[in-house]
């Protein structure tokens, strides 16, 4: 049977591996807590070089849907949020674009051929103090 000291050493040795994992969610609140766009990032294994991502479009009680999007690196590539219409937002992460609608809670890739922003910037999902956060435009 391993001693308490051996267990403690093993537990300390595991800390860097656990620290390399990520499981976070941060929200852009649209109309209180019932209407939001949520970026979810999950890296279940420390040896992975990418992080799984999903966007949750939520407009309760009408709909809520989690849709996987393209993976990202372990350092969060900032994701900008733009107003694109009524209950419609455009998200840009690097050179990838997504359209998110909360009328029916849909998320899809978007080929933004023009490359221009569809409306005003509302803010950005990015790391702040080592944690994923939504930072409103102008802050």
């Amino acid at each position: 049977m391993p001693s308490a000291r051996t267990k403690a050493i093993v537990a300390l040795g595991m800390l860097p591996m656990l620290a390399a994992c990520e499981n976070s969610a941060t929200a852009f609140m649209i109309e209180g807590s019932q209407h939001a766009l949520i970026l979810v990032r999950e890296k279940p294994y420390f040896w992975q070089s990418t992080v799984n991502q999903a966007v949750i479009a939520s407009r309760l009680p009408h709909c809520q849907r989690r849709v996987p999007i393209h993976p990202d690196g372990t350092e969060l590539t900032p994701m900008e949020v733009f107003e694109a219409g009524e209950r419609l937002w455009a998200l840009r992460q690097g050179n990838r674009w997504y359209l998110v609608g909360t009328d029916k809670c849909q998320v899809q890739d978007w080929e933004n051929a023009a490359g221009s922003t569809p409306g005003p910037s509302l803010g950005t999902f990015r790391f702040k103090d080592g944690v994923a956060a939504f930072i409103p435009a102008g802050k």
Side-chain angles (χ1 to χ4, degrees):
M1 238 198 189
S3 69
R5 179 184 164 126
T6 303
K7 289 179 184 177
I9 291 171
V10 169
L12 285 174
M14 298 280 296
L15 284 178
M17 290 183 239
L18 294 175
C21 296
E22 181 179 352
N23 190 357
S24 66
T26 186
F28 160 53
M29 305 303 248
I30 299 162
E31 295 171 357
S33 63
Q34 303 297 305
H35 194 185
L37 305 182
I38 303 162
L39 175 63
V40 177
R41 291 175 48 88
E42 298 169 328
K43 181 182 172 191
Y45 306 108
F46 72 92
W47 59 81
Q48 287 182 305
S49 61
T50 59
V51 176
N52 299 325
Q53 298 187 119
V55 171
I56 299 173
S58 179
R59 188 172 59 88
L60 298 173
H62 305 287
C63 65
Q64 181 170 312
R65 182 172 294 143
R66 176 186 170 129
V67 178
I69 60 172
H70 297 275
D72 190 28
T74 54
E75 182 67 30
L76 172 60
T77 303
M79 179 181 283
E80 299 169 275
V81 179
F82 300 93
E83 189 174 316
E86 187 169 334
R87 294 188 184 152
L88 184 64
W89 293 268
L91 310 178
R92 176 174 58 191
Q93 186 173 44
N95 60 3
R96 292 192 189 280
W97 284 88
Y98 305 97
L99 282 179
V100 181
T102 59
D103 189 42
K104 296 180 182 173
C105 290
Q106 297 173 316
V107 179
Q108 67 182 46
D109 286 345
W110 179 37
E111 290 294 326
N112 183 1
S116 60
T117 61
S121 173
L122 300 173
T124 305
F125 290 104
R126 66 177 182 219
F127 277 146
K128 181 179 181 182
D129 301 324
V131 178
F134 180 79
I135 310 301
K139 300 234 176 175

